[in-house]
Amino acid sequence: MNQTQLLKINGLKQYFPIRGGFFGRKVNDVKAVDDISFEINKGEAVSIVGESGCGKSTTGRAILRLDEPTEGTIEFNGVDLLSLKRKDMKKARKDLQIIFQDPYASLNPRLTVRQIIYESMDIQKHVKRQDREARMFELLELVGLQRHQADLFPHEFSGGQRQRVGIARALSVDPKLIVCDEAVSALDVSIQAQVLNLLKKLQKEMELTYLFISHDLGVVRHISDRIIVMYLGKIVEIGDNESIFENPKHPYTKALLSAIPVPNPKKKSERILLEGDVPSPIDPPQGCRFHTRCPFATDLCKEETPQLRTTDGMTENHQAACHYINEIDFEKVKARV
Ligand SMILES: Nc1ncnc2c1ncn2[C@@H]1O[C@H](COP(=O)(O)OP(=O)(O)OP(=O)(O)O)[C@@H](O)[C@H]1O
Ligand SMILES: [Mg+2]
């Protein structure tokens, strides 16, 4: 793997103000992302996973500056994105694309696929007019669509095909990083696999770097080089694919892994069931944010915030934020189902 850094996020915070009262003053904040740092190397596929509302999409949006982050830095290809003026940010967006869960909502229903792709090329003005058609057909072929489909409208496609249109549009500007926000979540399992395989193939062919966002660890398992597990705005564990799946250290990661269905019904899964709901990101719990739902929490967890760290039995790039790494006896709460 090429180890050149493409994206470096440092101390990112995204607070959304809550206004109230007679004067509409700020009364509190939704701490959607609360001080996270991570890096992505060129050619890597990194996934952010976690339950609904933990700040995954907010992180993705911050990278594209769709929201203005509250604090922190986002370096892309050596450039501090947050310092760019509007015009320069527009140029930088050529290298940064995002694919959403629902391509229907993000594709203009009044435009044909041809027009959608031309529009995207024209915004960045990097393909000459006379070359647009050839490039558009090339893109359709790349994502497995037929030439004659160029003149169809989004509603004339199936969900999986529509997502392919979304991918073709993202690729039309030759991006370096693609953020896939729940890009396959709405699709049937078999179509999910097709689209994921397509993304994997494109990654090799076009030297792409991916940031996948998903609430389901199972979905990103085969496509991720590294995985970031988020809980209530914070990173609780980060590591390469094997470390997260074979040697998870944070009880929350264990619980997420327990939620993945086991294909062989004879092999009983070992489950750690998560009880209760995710607390509010307006007033997140003190200490370890996971302590209110963690079966192993002690007084220390209620008082002190654990930092990401590596200990014995963990690979160099594997970190978890738990006071009791290696001390937890998961057998104790494991319920066999
Ligand atoms: N523009 C906004 N204004 C106020 N609050 C917001 C805004 N965007 C997100 N939030 C809040 O920030 C938190 C994180 O939201 P985010 O969309 O990042 O979650 P997510 O991890 O992507 O969840 P999901 O899996 O449901 O997509 C949520 O509590 C959400 O309500
Ligand atoms: Mg989301």
Side-chain angles (χ1 to χ4, degrees), residues 232-285:
L232 256 185
K234 289 218 177 272
I235 295 177
V236 296
E237 186 157 3
I238 181 166
D240 57 46
N241 190 307
E242 199 184 324
S243 301
I244 297 293
F245 281 95
E246 305 300 333
N247 190 23
K249 293 294 184 190
H250 199 286
Y252 182 62
T253 311
K254 281 256 186 193
L256 285 184
L257 286 168
S258 302
I260 302 175
V262 180
N264 180 354
K266 284 195 187 136
K267 189 178 166 217
K268 298 223 163 164
S269 67
E270 294 164 352
R271 287 179 173 260
I272 294 180
L273 297 175
L274 269 183
E275 282 168 18
D277 292 325
V278 184
S280 159
I282 299 170
D283 285 306

Side-chain angles (χ1 to χ4, degrees), residues 28 36 54 59 63 84 107 166 197 272 278 282 291 300 308 318:
N28 213 329
I36 65 168
C54 70
T59 305
I63 296 170
L84 294 183
L107 299 173
N197 286 340
I272 294 180
V278 184
I282 299 170
H291 86 255
L300 174 66
L308 281 168
H318 183 193

